[in-house]
Amino acid sequence: MENTALFPALGGFAHGGDYNPEQWLDRPDILREDIRMMKLAGVNCVTLGVFSWSVCEPREGEFHFDWLREVMDSLFENGIYTILATPSGARPAWLDRQYPEAMRVSAQGVRNRHGVRHNHCMTSPKYREKVRIIDRELARRFGRHPGLLMFHVSNELGGACWCDLCAEKFRDYLRDVFHDDIEALNRAWWTTFWSHRYASFDEVEPPYANGEGSVMGLNLEWKRFTTHSMNDFLRFEIGVLRAECPDVPVTTNFMTLYNGLDYRRMAPSVDVVSWDSYPRYENDYESLYETMAENAFHHTVMRSMKRDKPFMLMESAPGLVNWHEFNKVKRPGTHFLACLQAIACGSDTAQYFQWRKGRGSFEQYHGAVVDHLGADDTRIFRETAEVGAALKRLAPAAGTLVKAKAALIFDWDARWAIQDAKALAESTKRYEETCIGIWKEFLRMGVEMDVVASDADLTPYRLAVAPMLYLLQPRTAANLRRFVENGGQLLATYFTGCVDKDALCYLGGFPGDGLAELFGVVSEEIDTLYPADRNAVRCTEPGWGEWEVRDYAETLRVADAEVLGSYASDFYAGTPALTRKAFGAGHAYYMAARCTPAAMRPLFAHMLADAGILPRPLPEGVEFHLREGASGAYAFYLNHGAEPASLSGETGVELLTGLPVSGSFTIPPKHAVVIFRHKTKR
Ligand code: GAL
């Protein structure tokens, strides 16, 4: 195993999930049965303590941890490790009754009543005091337990608090951002418009739902502040744990592309990035491959936040969830594919919510490894046990890394600013879908592509695509220029570089901040098409063809770029739509219109060739990833289709069967093949 393995104690991957024995303390028979069944399912790790506060501290200052000690001990005696969560995701009733300021205030300015979860005030000193006490108790009592793998802070941090204290913290945050200069804020937010000027920071309010919502800079800073404030809370909890146990790694579980928090700013606070994945498998609007491919994008967003180590799949549903519009069960084989996909994308864990279905309340019908039926021969249980067995066979791959040479730039700031921009068409802006669509096309071509922020270090990459990079951080333009200068192949699209970090438009032409020089073009107009409108890009390169245009078409003034395609119709027929400029050792491409990623494949293939990246040709429905380690590489092929898929070009050992592969091989339908390519000595 390589030394980047997240959990050396496990000797491989972690397999398990959220376990809530505190709901079953009056059923010791069930707790015993759980351990028997966990071993049968190949579970080697569970997450304890999520939402357990009212059991751990039923009355203020009265602690009950014996149950936790007993459970952790008997799990460990049976070879099962623990990820221990702090309970701050939901508060006990005594706390809200005694300290109502711990309860969050809504965007309407109304304080919540006690209940539900994930709704505390991030700044409340009282809440922090109570969290500090319970976290310290946990760390002191369990931080040196031999079965402890890591701490899991809270659960799915999210939302925002709009209380007076948070509003005051927001003003402090703004004072910092604008160096105590209210005129700098007025300029940045263009507040003379509609008479919105502020005379002092004391006058600034958060953008309440029933208040100021028309100042783009304010909206954007509030979102950044919410991340800042959540991150501060996260760091506060981590600080309490580290003060007691500096060597225990810490994570918190992220939620896919959750819009409310810029996870890239939070990732540095944790040792390991983990996330919860709940796709709508086997739905009625796309193939399983499409759903899986989107899930792979999400895995990649998580992986790319820390490229030097694996990430974690913290939660996924073994069978079904209970909160989709339609709670369809995973069809046979889907669970296996989904778990192997996480591993293929660079996760060192396949974890579930949840081990056992509870009898009552909100999630009583949410899928679990153990059903109300309680049997160890249900379909779900058997499929989970298959995953457990497969992960054991794949153990040597734990700790290995996916090393992409291509990157897609996806930015939370650009996303927020695009959502808020009073421009284009609300129904077709589709920033996320545009990024995901392009990323999926590279996946289809068998090219591994990280997903990174616009200010990320781009030196590991030779090709980058930055769709709709509407907002430019102060460092972005320089970063992109450097990338191309050093030989990178870069593609940008319509709606790029329109505003700065305060959502103020650049003057002198988009893309701003010097990017017009990099691409050799300036955008003059952006045309928003009605859904039935069509145009096309006629490519000049032989064989590239004509690409249908929908939704958006920019007209360009070309300075010193080569024109590779022009519009086919409308008043801008014949004018440039696709350009390329050689810049330093690389090329900067500008695609002025929205075309399908499939249509743009010749362009992607050309860029890949220039970047020296070899695509891996794949049959339809097959997904490919490569994890690399010191002794060799692990090639993962996932067949999401209903028919066997045949491939060739691999030599090594197939790890799930233990059989040698030399040349061609077949992947059974809805199954995976993992080939270990041994590194040959030179
Ligand atoms: C997650 C959450 C879990 C559970 C699960 C149900 O978002 O962290 O506690 O509620 O959803 O799908």
Side-chain angles (χ1 to χ4, degrees):
M1 196 187 311
E2 319 304 339
N3 58 10
T4 50
L6 287 187
F7 305 117
L10 297 180
F13 295 105
H15 181 226
D18 276 30
Y19 179 40
N20 295 99
E22 68 275 22
Q23 294 171 15
W24 301 94
L25 292 181
D26 59 344
R27 293 293 305 267
D29 55 321
I30 285 194
L31 298 184
R32 274 194 302 277
E33 180 66 349
D34 278 334
I35 292 195
R36 183 189 73 79
M37 290 172 87
M38 282 177 192
K39 288 163 80 173
L40 203 59
V43 161
N44 59 4
C45 162
V46 295
T47 305
L48 292 174
V50 184
F51 309 127
S52 67
W53 201 337
S54 67
V55 173
C56 295
E57 192 181 4
R59 276 164 289 277
E60 188 170 3
E62 183 186 316
F63 299 107
H64 291 224
F65 287 115
D66 289 351
W67 67 274
L68 185 53
R69 162 116 14 230
E70 275 165 33
V71 172
M72 258 177 99
D73 284 352
S74 45
L75 286 167
F76 185 58
E77 279 157 20
N78 285 280
I80 302 163
Y81 286 76
T82 294
I83 294 172
L84 186 58
T86 67
S88 64
R91 301 172 308 282
W94 60 259
L95 199 152
D96 284 349
R97 190 145 181 242
Q98 197 67 23
Y99 311 105
E101 66 267 41
M103 292 183 285
R104 192 169 282 183
V105 168
S106 74
Q108 296 279 350
V110 180
R111 190 167 303 273
N112 288 346
R113 312 285 305 208
H114 170 71
V116 210
R117 61 174 178 172
H118 299 162
N119 52 18
H120 63 268
C121 167
M122 283 88 75
T123 52
S124 155
K126 260 298 164 204
Y127 190 55
R128 289 196 180 201
E129 183 190 317
K130 296 297 148 194
V131 170
R132 175 180 288 112
I133 293 170
I134 189 88
D135 283 5
R136 197 161 48 201
E137 289 294 329
L138 276 174
R140 282 188 181 158
R141 290 166 196 249
F142 302 102
R144 279 160 203 84
H145 193 289
L148 179 70
L149 284 185
M150 79 186 316
F151 287 122
H152 171 305
V153 169
S154 204
N155 192 67
E156 294 193 338
L157 294 167
C161 178
W162 305 66
C163 74
D164 290 345
L165 186 60
C166 285
E168 196 46 53
K169 294 275 179 198
F170 178 48
R171 285 185 277 273
D172 289 346
Y173 163 89
L174 292 176
R175 284 185 185 99
D176 249 25
V177 170
F178 294 103
H179 307 290
D180 243 337
D181 178 359
I182 194 66
E183 282 315 317
L185 178 147
N186 279 318
R187 278 192 301 277
W189 292 2
W190 207 249
T191 55
T192 309
F193 177 77
W194 285 357
S195 199
H196 284 164
R197 289 179 60 77
Y198 301 101
S200 91
F201 283 91
D202 297 332
E203 294 175 357
V204 184
E205 288 203 330
Y208 289 108
N210 51 352
E212 180 61 274
S214 61
V215 178
M216 274 63 219
L218 166 66
N219 296 343
L220 205 49
E221 284 301 355
W222 173 252
K223 292 199 172 74
R224 291 179 184 138
F225 165 75
T226 300
T227 297
H228 163 86
S229 171
M230 198 62 80
N231 200 21
D232 190 64
F233 184 81
L234 171 64
R235 283 168 167 276
F236 149 73
E237 280 211 67
I238 293 174
V240 177
L241 300 170
R242 289 231 173 99
E244 300 297 329
C245 313
D247 300 328
V248 180
V250 183
T251 190
T252 189
N253 47 345
F254 292 159
M255 299 172 274
T256 319
L257 292 188
Y258 175 66
N259 191 48
L261 295 171
D262 182 348
Y263 285 144
R264 303 254 176 62
R265 314 258 165 242
M266 296 172 71
S269 307
V270 293
D271 296 301
V272 180
V273 170
S274 68
W275 80 289
D276 302 343
S277 161
Y278 293 104
R280 287 161 173 75
Y281 295 111
E282 0 253 359
N283 55 50
D284 63 353
Y285 51 85
E286 63 184 2
S287 68
L288 180 61
Y289 175 84
E290 293 299 326
T291 312
M292 286 284 191
E294 180 159 340
N295 199 45
F297 175 86
H298 295 140
H299 279 307
T300 305
V301 172
M302 300 297 153
R303 177 187 78 217
S304 309
M305 288 187 213
K306 287 192 193 287
R307 297 181 72 249
D308 60 341
K309 59 172 78 167
F311 68 95
M312 294 173 71
L313 172 63
M314 185 62 89
E315 288 182 24
S316 60
L320 76 176
V321 301
N322 68 339
W323 51 269
H324 286 166
E325 306 79 6
F326 300 93
N327 295 302
K328 189 168 181 175
V329 295
K330 277 177 175 168
R331 271 30 197 170
T334 306
H335 182 61
F336 186 84
L337 274 177
C339 290
L340 272 261
Q341 182 188 53
I343 302 296
C345 290
S347 170
D348 258 11
T349 66
Q351 307 274 109
Y352 314 126
F353 179 87
Q354 53 191 335
W355 167 253
R356 179 182 280 277
K357 275 186 186 171
R359 289 188 69 188
S361 207
F362 207 77
E363 294 183 328
Q364 66 191 134
Y365 296 113
H366 192 288
V369 181
V370 184
D371 190 73
H372 294 134
L373 183 62
D376 63 16
D377 61 354
T378 59
R379 179 178 71 88
I380 303 292
F381 190 90
R382 276 186 279 112
E383 291 197 28
T384 306
E386 271 172 43
V387 173
L391 293 183
K392 279 192 191 124
R393 286 186 214 116
L394 299 180
T400 55
L401 301 174
V402 174
K403 293 180 177 162
K405 293 275 168 254
L408 182 117
I409 294 177
F410 173 87
D411 245 30
W412 256 261
D413 266 272
R415 178 188 193 193
W416 289 335
I418 290 171
Q419 286 165 0
D420 211 27
K422 300 290 160 257
L424 310 184
E426 283 311 323
S427 59
T428 59
K429 282 179 175 174
R430 297 201 189 115
Y431 175 61
E432 296 85 348
E433 289 89 329
T434 303
C435 291
I436 294 171
I438 292 174
W439 186 89
K440 275 182 172 179
E441 197 57 32
F442 281 86
L443 182 76
R444 250 179 227 116
M445 296 170 83
V447 173
E448 203 72 70
M449 190 179 218
D450 281 349
V451 182
V452 300
S454 60
D455 56 357
D457 174 14
L458 297 177
T459 47
Y461 308 113
R462 298 201 286 258
L463 179 152
V465 182
M468 300 176 76
L469 196 56
Y470 170 66
L471 177 145
L472 299 179
Q473 298 283 355
R475 300 162 300 280
T476 302
N479 200 27
L480 297 180
R481 281 174 74 112
R482 202 166 36 242
F483 173 70
V484 180
E485 228 158 40
N486 293 335
Q489 310 297 318
L490 171 69
L491 170 66
T493 74
Y494 55 92
F495 218 47
T496 286
C498 305
V499 298
D500 68 7
K501 70 157 187 59
D502 297 306
L504 268 188
C505 285
Y506 286 106
L507 298 180
F510 308 152
D513 203 17
L515 285 186
E517 191 204 332
L518 171 63
F519 292 101
V521 300
V522 167
S523 151
E524 187 168 321
E525 290 188 90
I526 181 156
D527 195 12
T528 298
L529 307 184
Y530 278 88
D533 290 340
R534 295 285 183 277
N535 202 324
V537 174
R538 268 190 198 136
C539 299
T540 52
E541 295 292 296
W544 285 25
E546 185 167 304
W547 308 342
E548 186 177 81
V549 172
R550 295 189 191 193
D551 302 338
Y552 301 108
E554 268 179 3
T555 55
L556 300 180
R557 298 164 175 237
V558 176
D560 53 354
E562 193 185 339
V563 176
L564 303 180
S566 308
Y567 288 108
S569 60
D570 219 317
F571 70 92
Y572 38 91
T575 69
L578 172 64
T579 62
R580 167 176 57 198
K581 178 173 165 181
F583 189 90
H587 291 104
Y589 292 79
Y590 195 88
M591 176 66 199
R594 181 177 283 174
C595 299
T596 63
M600 293 192 292
R601 196 184 258 226
L603 166 63
F604 299 155
H606 185 88
M607 291 175 69
L608 284 167
D610 276 355
I613 300 174
L614 268 186
R616 170 71 173 102
L618 296 168
E620 207 182 309
V622 173
E623 179 183 345
F624 168 72
H625 298 282
L626 193 69
R627 288 184 70 148
E628 298 178 55
S631 53
Y634 299 84
F636 287 76
Y637 294 89
L638 310 169
N639 179 6
H640 303 301
E643 300 299 326
S646 298
L647 281 102
S648 57
E650 285 288 356
T651 304
V653 181
E654 202 290 308
L655 295 180
L656 298 172
T657 57
L659 298 173
V661 174
S662 158
S664 54
F665 59 98
T666 301
I667 323 170
K670 285 189 85 175
H671 207 68
V673 157
V674 185
I675 297 162
F676 176 56
R677 303 177 185 163
H678 205 285
K679 203 172 256 178
T680 42
K681 291 199 186 85
R682 292 181 188 198

